[in-house]
mmCIF file of all heavy atoms in Angstrom:
data_model
loop_
_atom_site.group_PDB
_atom_site.id
_atom_site.type_symbol
_atom_site.label_atom_id
_atom_site.label_comp_id
_atom_site.label_asym_id
_atom_site.label_seq_id
_atom_site.Cartn_x
_atom_site.Cartn_y
_atom_site.Cartn_z
ATOM 1 N N GLY A 22 -17.844 -4.584 -16.641
ATOM 2 C CA GLY A 22 -18.695 -3.734 -15.844
ATOM 3 C C GLY A 22 -18.228 -3.457 -14.427
ATOM 4 O O GLY A 22 -18.999 -3.018 -13.579
ATOM 5 N N TYR A 23 -16.933 -3.715 -14.154
ATOM 6 C CA TYR A 23 -16.386 -3.473 -12.827
ATOM 7 C C TYR A 23 -15.510 -2.216 -12.817
ATOM 8 O O TYR A 23 -15.022 -1.761 -13.871
ATOM 9 C CB TYR A 23 -15.545 -4.670 -12.359
ATOM 10 C CG TYR A 23 -16.359 -5.919 -12.153
ATOM 11 C CD1 TYR A 23 -16.430 -6.898 -13.145
ATOM 12 C CD2 TYR A 23 -17.085 -6.115 -10.985
ATOM 13 C CE1 TYR A 23 -17.188 -8.058 -12.978
ATOM 14 C CE2 TYR A 23 -17.852 -7.262 -10.797
ATOM 15 C CZ TYR A 23 -17.902 -8.223 -11.799
ATOM 16 O OH TYR A 23 -18.655 -9.344 -11.614
ATOM 17 N N ARG A 24 -15.311 -1.679 -11.646
ATOM 18 C CA ARG A 24 -14.407 -0.559 -11.418
ATOM 19 C C ARG A 24 -13.068 -1.123 -10.929
ATOM 20 O O ARG A 24 -13.017 -1.759 -9.869
ATOM 21 C CB ARG A 24 -15.008 0.378 -10.378
ATOM 22 C CG ARG A 24 -14.150 1.567 -9.972
ATOM 23 C CD ARG A 24 -14.921 2.394 -8.943
ATOM 24 N NE ARG A 24 -14.126 3.485 -8.389
ATOM 25 C CZ ARG A 24 -14.558 4.313 -7.431
ATOM 26 N NH1 ARG A 24 -15.799 4.165 -6.954
ATOM 27 N NH2 ARG A 24 -13.784 5.282 -6.963
ATOM 28 N N ALA A 25 -12.017 -0.941 -11.682
ATOM 29 C CA ALA A 25 -10.700 -1.522 -11.363
ATOM 30 C C ALA A 25 -9.841 -0.492 -10.632
ATOM 31 O O ALA A 25 -9.556 0.596 -11.147
ATOM 32 C CB ALA A 25 -9.999 -1.979 -12.640
ATOM 33 N N ILE A 26 -9.419 -0.866 -9.431
ATOM 34 C CA ILE A 26 -8.584 0.011 -8.583
ATOM 35 C C ILE A 26 -7.313 -0.758 -8.246
ATOM 36 O O ILE A 26 -7.370 -1.901 -7.799
ATOM 37 C CB ILE A 26 -9.334 0.383 -7.297
ATOM 38 C CG1 ILE A 26 -10.651 1.099 -7.617
ATOM 39 C CG2 ILE A 26 -8.455 1.223 -6.378
ATOM 40 C CD1 ILE A 26 -11.616 1.140 -6.457
ATOM 41 N N GLY A 27 -6.188 -0.153 -8.478
ATOM 42 C CA GLY A 27 -4.900 -0.795 -8.139
ATOM 43 C C GLY A 27 -3.932 0.210 -7.586
ATOM 44 O O GLY A 27 -4.076 1.407 -7.814
ATOM 45 N N PHE A 28 -2.942 -0.274 -6.870
ATOM 46 C CA PHE A 28 -1.959 0.634 -6.284
ATOM 47 C C PHE A 28 -0.580 -0.034 -6.280
ATOM 48 O O PHE A 28 -0.468 -1.259 -6.361
ATOM 49 C CB PHE A 28 -2.351 1.053 -4.862
ATOM 50 C CG PHE A 28 -2.365 -0.067 -3.847
ATOM 51 C CD1 PHE A 28 -1.294 -0.233 -2.975
ATOM 52 C CD2 PHE A 28 -3.441 -0.948 -3.761
ATOM 53 C CE1 PHE A 28 -1.295 -1.255 -2.041
ATOM 54 C CE2 PHE A 28 -3.446 -1.969 -2.835
ATOM 55 C CZ PHE A 28 -2.390 -2.130 -1.976
ATOM 56 N N ASP A 29 0.440 0.786 -6.195
ATOM 57 C CA ASP A 29 1.800 0.310 -6.016
ATOM 58 C C ASP A 29 2.072 0.148 -4.528
ATOM 59 O O ASP A 29 1.893 1.092 -3.756
ATOM 60 C CB ASP A 29 2.822 1.283 -6.606
ATOM 61 C CG ASP A 29 2.860 1.242 -8.118
ATOM 62 O OD1 ASP A 29 2.597 0.175 -8.688
ATOM 63 O OD2 ASP A 29 3.174 2.279 -8.727
ATOM 64 N N HIS A 30 2.485 -1.063 -4.116
ATOM 65 C CA HIS A 30 2.890 -1.256 -2.734
ATOM 66 C C HIS A 30 3.976 -0.246 -2.365
ATOM 67 O O HIS A 30 4.765 0.195 -3.202
ATOM 68 C CB HIS A 30 3.479 -2.648 -2.525
ATOM 69 C CG HIS A 30 2.488 -3.745 -2.508
ATOM 70 N ND1 HIS A 30 1.481 -3.830 -1.581
ATOM 71 C CD2 HIS A 30 2.356 -4.848 -3.291
ATOM 72 C CE1 HIS A 30 0.774 -4.909 -1.793
ATOM 73 N NE2 HIS A 30 1.271 -5.547 -2.835
ATOM 74 N N ARG A 31 4.045 0.091 -1.106
ATOM 75 C CA ARG A 31 5.193 0.837 -0.592
ATOM 76 C C ARG A 31 6.470 0.133 -1.042
ATOM 77 O O ARG A 31 6.555 -1.101 -1.023
ATOM 78 C CB ARG A 31 5.111 0.932 0.931
ATOM 79 C CG ARG A 31 4.877 -0.403 1.625
ATOM 80 C CD ARG A 31 4.772 -0.284 3.148
ATOM 81 N NE ARG A 31 3.694 0.576 3.566
ATOM 82 C CZ ARG A 31 3.693 1.241 4.716
ATOM 83 N NH1 ARG A 31 4.709 1.099 5.570
ATOM 84 N NH2 ARG A 31 2.679 2.028 5.045
ATOM 85 N N GLY A 32 7.453 0.904 -1.497
ATOM 86 C CA GLY A 32 8.708 0.328 -1.969
ATOM 87 C C GLY A 32 8.688 -0.110 -3.411
ATOM 88 O O GLY A 32 9.713 -0.566 -3.918
ATOM 89 N N HIS A 33 7.550 0.000 -4.080
ATOM 90 C CA HIS A 33 7.373 -0.498 -5.437
ATOM 91 C C HIS A 33 6.866 0.608 -6.363
ATOM 92 O O HIS A 33 6.199 1.551 -5.903
ATOM 93 C CB HIS A 33 6.379 -1.647 -5.476
ATOM 94 C CG HIS A 33 6.816 -2.887 -4.772
ATOM 95 N ND1 HIS A 33 6.908 -2.961 -3.394
ATOM 96 C CD2 HIS A 33 7.164 -4.117 -5.239
ATOM 97 C CE1 HIS A 33 7.317 -4.183 -3.051
ATOM 98 N NE2 HIS A 33 7.472 -4.900 -4.159
ATOM 99 N N GLY A 34 7.126 0.450 -7.645
ATOM 100 C CA GLY A 34 6.544 1.322 -8.657
ATOM 101 C C GLY A 34 6.751 2.802 -8.353
ATOM 102 O O GLY A 34 7.867 3.253 -8.089
ATOM 103 N N GLU A 35 5.646 3.524 -8.384
ATOM 104 C CA GLU A 35 5.708 4.969 -8.155
ATOM 105 C C GLU A 35 5.439 5.364 -6.719
ATOM 106 O O GLU A 35 5.338 6.563 -6.394
ATOM 107 C CB GLU A 35 4.708 5.668 -9.084
ATOM 108 C CG GLU A 35 4.976 5.462 -10.551
ATOM 109 C CD GLU A 35 3.889 6.102 -11.414
ATOM 110 O OE1 GLU A 35 3.853 7.336 -11.486
ATOM 111 O OE2 GLU A 35 3.087 5.358 -11.992
ATOM 112 N N SER A 36 5.273 4.377 -5.829
ATOM 113 C CA SER A 36 5.029 4.694 -4.423
ATOM 114 C C SER A 36 6.354 4.967 -3.692
ATOM 115 O O SER A 36 7.446 4.684 -4.207
ATOM 116 C CB SER A 36 4.266 3.554 -3.743
ATOM 117 O OG SER A 36 2.940 3.482 -4.214
ATOM 118 N N GLU A 37 6.235 5.486 -2.489
ATOM 119 C CA GLU A 37 7.406 5.880 -1.701
ATOM 120 C C GLU A 37 8.270 4.671 -1.367
ATOM 121 O O GLU A 37 7.754 3.596 -1.058
ATOM 122 C CB GLU A 37 6.951 6.587 -0.432
ATOM 123 C CG GLU A 37 8.080 7.171 0.406
ATOM 124 C CD GLU A 37 7.575 7.982 1.580
ATOM 125 O OE1 GLU A 37 6.367 8.295 1.634
ATOM 126 O OE2 GLU A 37 8.406 8.301 2.460
ATOM 127 N N LYS A 38 9.582 4.861 -1.417
ATOM 128 C CA LYS A 38 10.535 3.802 -1.101
ATOM 129 C C LYS A 38 10.957 3.897 0.357
ATOM 130 O O LYS A 38 11.346 4.969 0.834
ATOM 131 C CB LYS A 38 11.753 3.879 -2.015
ATOM 132 C CG LYS A 38 11.427 3.965 -3.522
ATOM 133 C CD LYS A 38 10.555 2.821 -3.992
ATOM 134 C CE LYS A 38 10.284 2.843 -5.489
ATOM 135 N NZ LYS A 38 9.438 3.986 -5.916
ATOM 136 N N LEU A 39 10.857 2.775 1.057
ATOM 137 C CA LEU A 39 11.219 2.698 2.472
ATOM 138 C C LEU A 39 12.276 1.603 2.625
ATOM 139 O O LEU A 39 12.276 0.627 1.880
ATOM 140 C CB LEU A 39 9.971 2.375 3.309
ATOM 141 C CG LEU A 39 8.764 3.299 3.106
ATOM 142 C CD1 LEU A 39 7.537 2.720 3.758
ATOM 143 C CD2 LEU A 39 9.059 4.689 3.628
ATOM 144 N N TYR A 40 13.131 1.744 3.648
ATOM 145 C CA TYR A 40 14.274 0.840 3.749
ATOM 146 C C TYR A 40 14.372 0.111 5.081
ATOM 147 O O TYR A 40 15.342 -0.599 5.319
ATOM 148 C CB TYR A 40 15.567 1.645 3.464
ATOM 149 C CG TYR A 40 15.492 2.342 2.125
ATOM 150 C CD1 TYR A 40 15.285 3.703 2.042
ATOM 151 C CD2 TYR A 40 15.566 1.604 0.946
ATOM 152 C CE1 TYR A 40 15.178 4.343 0.815
ATOM 153 C CE2 TYR A 40 15.456 2.221 -0.293
ATOM 154 C CZ TYR A 40 15.265 3.599 -0.339
ATOM 155 O OH TYR A 40 15.138 4.198 -1.566
ATOM 156 N N ASP A 41 13.349 0.239 5.907
ATOM 157 C CA ASP A 41 13.278 -0.493 7.160
ATOM 158 C C ASP A 41 12.385 -1.713 6.956
ATOM 159 O O ASP A 41 11.195 -1.572 6.664
ATOM 160 C CB ASP A 41 12.703 0.415 8.245
ATOM 161 C CG ASP A 41 12.581 -0.271 9.599
ATOM 162 O OD1 ASP A 41 12.840 -1.494 9.684
ATOM 163 O OD2 ASP A 41 12.219 0.420 10.571
ATOM 164 N N PRO A 42 12.918 -2.930 7.090
ATOM 165 C CA PRO A 42 12.080 -4.115 6.883
ATOM 166 C C PRO A 42 10.804 -4.138 7.722
ATOM 167 O O PRO A 42 9.772 -4.662 7.267
ATOM 168 C CB PRO A 42 13.014 -5.274 7.259
ATOM 169 C CG PRO A 42 14.385 -4.757 6.975
ATOM 170 C CD PRO A 42 14.330 -3.298 7.351
ATOM 171 N N ALA A 43 10.830 -3.555 8.914
ATOM 172 C CA ALA A 43 9.655 -3.563 9.778
ATOM 173 C C ALA A 43 8.470 -2.827 9.154
ATOM 174 O O ALA A 43 7.322 -3.079 9.500
ATOM 175 C CB ALA A 43 9.994 -2.938 11.136
ATOM 176 N N LEU A 44 8.738 -1.943 8.205
ATOM 177 C CA LEU A 44 7.672 -1.170 7.576
ATOM 178 C C LEU A 44 7.009 -1.934 6.436
ATOM 179 O O LEU A 44 6.097 -1.403 5.784
ATOM 180 C CB LEU A 44 8.233 0.159 7.059
ATOM 181 C CG LEU A 44 8.771 1.096 8.136
ATOM 182 C CD1 LEU A 44 9.365 2.352 7.518
ATOM 183 C CD2 LEU A 44 7.682 1.452 9.135
ATOM 184 N N TYR A 45 7.451 -3.187 6.197
ATOM 185 C CA TYR A 45 6.866 -4.006 5.136
ATOM 186 C C TYR A 45 6.094 -5.209 5.694
ATOM 187 O O TYR A 45 5.802 -6.152 4.969
ATOM 188 C CB TYR A 45 7.948 -4.477 4.183
ATOM 189 C CG TYR A 45 8.514 -3.378 3.328
ATOM 190 C CD1 TYR A 45 9.683 -2.718 3.700
ATOM 191 C CD2 TYR A 45 7.880 -2.980 2.151
ATOM 192 C CE1 TYR A 45 10.203 -1.703 2.919
ATOM 193 C CE2 TYR A 45 8.387 -1.966 1.372
ATOM 194 C CZ TYR A 45 9.564 -1.321 1.762
ATOM 195 O OH TYR A 45 10.078 -0.312 0.987
ATOM 196 N N ASP A 46 5.763 -5.168 6.959
ATOM 197 C CA ASP A 46 4.886 -6.191 7.534
ATOM 198 C C ASP A 46 3.609 -6.226 6.703
ATOM 199 O O ASP A 46 3.020 -5.185 6.387
ATOM 200 C CB ASP A 46 4.582 -5.819 8.993
ATOM 201 C CG ASP A 46 3.818 -6.893 9.743
ATOM 202 O OD1 ASP A 46 2.717 -7.291 9.263
ATOM 203 O OD2 ASP A 46 4.298 -7.348 10.793
ATOM 204 N N THR A 47 3.152 -7.418 6.317
ATOM 205 C CA THR A 47 1.979 -7.494 5.446
ATOM 206 C C THR A 47 0.722 -6.973 6.125
ATOM 207 O O THR A 47 -0.222 -6.568 5.436
ATOM 208 C CB THR A 47 1.740 -8.933 4.962
ATOM 209 O OG1 THR A 47 1.752 -9.842 6.070
ATOM 210 C CG2 THR A 47 2.807 -9.353 3.972
ATOM 211 N N ARG A 48 0.706 -6.916 7.450
ATOM 212 C CA ARG A 48 -0.451 -6.311 8.127
ATOM 213 C C ARG A 48 -0.451 -4.798 7.927
ATOM 214 O O ARG A 48 -1.508 -4.183 7.774
ATOM 215 C CB ARG A 48 -0.418 -6.659 9.617
ATOM 216 C CG ARG A 48 -0.714 -8.127 9.891
ATOM 217 C CD ARG A 48 -0.289 -8.574 11.255
ATOM 218 N NE ARG A 48 1.170 -8.568 11.420
ATOM 219 C CZ ARG A 48 1.822 -9.218 12.365
ATOM 220 N NH1 ARG A 48 1.152 -9.947 13.248
ATOM 221 N NH2 ARG A 48 3.131 -9.157 12.443
ATOM 222 N N ILE A 49 0.740 -4.204 7.876
ATOM 223 C CA ILE A 49 0.842 -2.769 7.591
ATOM 224 C C ILE A 49 0.477 -2.510 6.129
ATOM 225 O O ILE A 49 -0.217 -1.538 5.801
ATOM 226 C CB ILE A 49 2.265 -2.261 7.884
ATOM 227 C CG1 ILE A 49 2.576 -2.372 9.377
ATOM 228 C CG2 ILE A 49 2.440 -0.823 7.414
ATOM 229 C CD1 ILE A 49 3.997 -2.029 9.754
ATOM 230 N N MET A 50 0.902 -3.396 5.232
ATOM 231 C CA MET A 50 0.579 -3.226 3.823
ATOM 232 C C MET A 50 -0.919 -3.388 3.582
ATOM 233 O O MET A 50 -1.491 -2.745 2.690
ATOM 234 C CB MET A 50 1.405 -4.192 3.000
ATOM 235 C CG MET A 50 2.906 -3.916 3.105
ATOM 236 S SD MET A 50 3.944 -5.221 2.440
ATOM 237 C CE MET A 50 3.928 -4.846 0.697
ATOM 238 N N ALA A 51 -1.575 -4.225 4.378
ATOM 239 C CA ALA A 51 -3.031 -4.341 4.289
ATOM 240 C C ALA A 51 -3.699 -3.036 4.725
ATOM 241 O O ALA A 51 -4.765 -2.681 4.200
ATOM 242 C CB ALA A 51 -3.523 -5.504 5.154
ATOM 243 N N GLU A 52 -3.092 -2.322 5.646
ATOM 244 C CA GLU A 52 -3.618 -1.020 6.050
ATOM 245 C C GLU A 52 -3.543 -0.029 4.900
ATOM 246 O O GLU A 52 -4.451 0.811 4.739
ATOM 247 C CB GLU A 52 -2.861 -0.501 7.274
ATOM 248 C CG GLU A 52 -3.123 -1.305 8.541
ATOM 249 C CD GLU A 52 -2.261 -0.842 9.702
ATOM 250 O OE1 GLU A 52 -1.484 0.121 9.533
ATOM 251 O OE2 GLU A 52 -2.363 -1.454 10.788
ATOM 252 N N ASP A 53 -2.486 -0.103 4.089
ATOM 253 C CA ASP A 53 -2.413 0.751 2.892
ATOM 254 C C ASP A 53 -3.613 0.507 1.983
ATOM 255 O O ASP A 53 -4.237 1.438 1.488
ATOM 256 C CB ASP A 53 -1.134 0.467 2.099
ATOM 257 C CG ASP A 53 0.140 0.912 2.809
ATOM 258 O OD1 ASP A 53 0.072 1.802 3.682
ATOM 259 O OD2 ASP A 53 1.217 0.372 2.456
ATOM 260 N N ALA A 54 -3.925 -0.769 1.782
ATOM 261 C CA ALA A 54 -5.057 -1.120 0.931
ATOM 262 C C ALA A 54 -6.376 -0.611 1.505
ATOM 263 O O ALA A 54 -7.216 -0.038 0.789
ATOM 264 C CB ALA A 54 -5.113 -2.635 0.742
ATOM 265 N N GLN A 55 -6.561 -0.799 2.785
ATOM 266 C CA GLN A 55 -7.770 -0.336 3.455
ATOM 267 C C GLN A 55 -7.888 1.191 3.380
ATOM 268 O O GLN A 55 -8.975 1.728 3.115
ATOM 269 C CB GLN A 55 -7.768 -0.788 4.920
ATOM 270 C CG GLN A 55 -8.757 -0.087 5.832
ATOM 271 C CD GLN A 55 -10.206 -0.359 5.471
ATOM 272 O OE1 GLN A 55 -10.486 -1.266 4.697
ATOM 273 N NE2 GLN A 55 -11.110 0.421 6.016
ATOM 274 N N ARG A 56 -6.770 1.874 3.565
ATOM 275 C CA ARG A 56 -6.804 3.342 3.521
ATOM 276 C C ARG A 56 -7.118 3.854 2.112
ATOM 277 O O ARG A 56 -7.713 4.909 1.953
ATOM 278 C CB ARG A 56 -5.479 3.913 4.028
ATOM 279 C CG ARG A 56 -5.264 3.721 5.524
ATOM 280 C CD ARG A 56 -4.050 4.488 6.004
ATOM 281 N NE ARG A 56 -3.756 4.160 7.392
ATOM 282 C CZ ARG A 56 -2.721 3.461 7.818
ATOM 283 N NH1 ARG A 56 -1.833 2.997 6.927
ATOM 284 N NH2 ARG A 56 -2.535 3.201 9.096
ATOM 285 N N LEU A 57 -6.686 3.118 1.093
ATOM 286 C CA LEU A 57 -7.024 3.520 -0.276
ATOM 287 C C LEU A 57 -8.523 3.454 -0.486
ATOM 288 O O LEU A 57 -9.121 4.387 -1.057
ATOM 289 C CB LEU A 57 -6.297 2.643 -1.297
ATOM 290 C CG LEU A 57 -6.667 2.891 -2.765
ATOM 291 C CD1 LEU A 57 -6.474 4.341 -3.165
ATOM 292 C CD2 LEU A 57 -5.858 1.968 -3.679
ATOM 293 N N LEU A 58 -9.153 2.392 -0.036
ATOM 294 C CA LEU A 58 -10.607 2.311 -0.142
ATOM 295 C C LEU A 58 -11.273 3.476 0.593
ATOM 296 O O LEU A 58 -12.215 4.108 0.070
ATOM 297 C CB LEU A 58 -11.109 0.982 0.400
ATOM 298 C CG LEU A 58 -10.723 -0.291 -0.368
ATOM 299 C CD1 LEU A 58 -11.384 -1.506 0.271
ATOM 300 C CD2 LEU A 58 -11.106 -0.183 -1.840
ATOM 301 N N ALA A 59 -10.792 3.769 1.793
ATOM 302 C CA ALA A 59 -11.359 4.883 2.557
ATOM 303 C C ALA A 59 -11.135 6.193 1.830
ATOM 304 O O ALA A 59 -12.027 7.070 1.789
ATOM 305 C CB ALA A 59 -10.741 4.910 3.959
ATOM 306 N N HIS A 60 -9.937 6.374 1.249
ATOM 307 C CA HIS A 60 -9.629 7.592 0.508
ATOM 308 C C HIS A 60 -10.609 7.783 -0.659
ATOM 309 O O HIS A 60 -10.996 8.917 -0.972
ATOM 310 C CB HIS A 60 -8.190 7.488 -0.024
ATOM 311 C CG HIS A 60 -7.807 8.583 -0.968
ATOM 312 N ND1 HIS A 60 -7.537 9.880 -0.560
ATOM 313 C CD2 HIS A 60 -7.652 8.574 -2.324
ATOM 314 C CE1 HIS A 60 -7.227 10.617 -1.606
ATOM 315 N NE2 HIS A 60 -7.289 9.855 -2.693
ATOM 316 N N LEU A 61 -11.025 6.686 -1.273
ATOM 317 C CA LEU A 61 -11.950 6.745 -2.395
ATOM 318 C C LEU A 61 -13.414 6.732 -1.961
ATOM 319 O O LEU A 61 -14.313 6.737 -2.807
ATOM 320 C CB LEU A 61 -11.687 5.567 -3.348
ATOM 321 C CG LEU A 61 -10.310 5.554 -4.022
ATOM 322 C CD1 LEU A 61 -10.106 4.271 -4.805
ATOM 323 C CD2 LEU A 61 -10.144 6.782 -4.924
#
């Protein structure tokens, strides 16, 4: 009875690939997650 939402991290799966390590800070990746909720 739950709604399942998942995403590919930046650099993974079908999401955009980035090559600067600074863009993979887990605080930035948490912003991706937060923005997905806002998008929905």
Side-chain angles (χ1 to χ4, degrees):
Y23 295 98
R24 177 180 174 183
I26 301 163
F28 66 100
D29 285 330
H30 286 299
R31 50 181 60 206
H33 295 70
E35 298 176 72
S36 290
E37 186 174 348
K38 309 305 183 292
L39 307 169
Y40 304 106
D41 180 354
L44 297 177
Y45 290 96
D46 187 304
T47 50
R48 290 163 293 198
I49 295 174
M50 296 168 83
E52 292 174 2
D53 291 337
Q55 164 66 13
R56 290 189 187 110
L57 175 55
L58 293 183
H60 172 75
L61 296 174

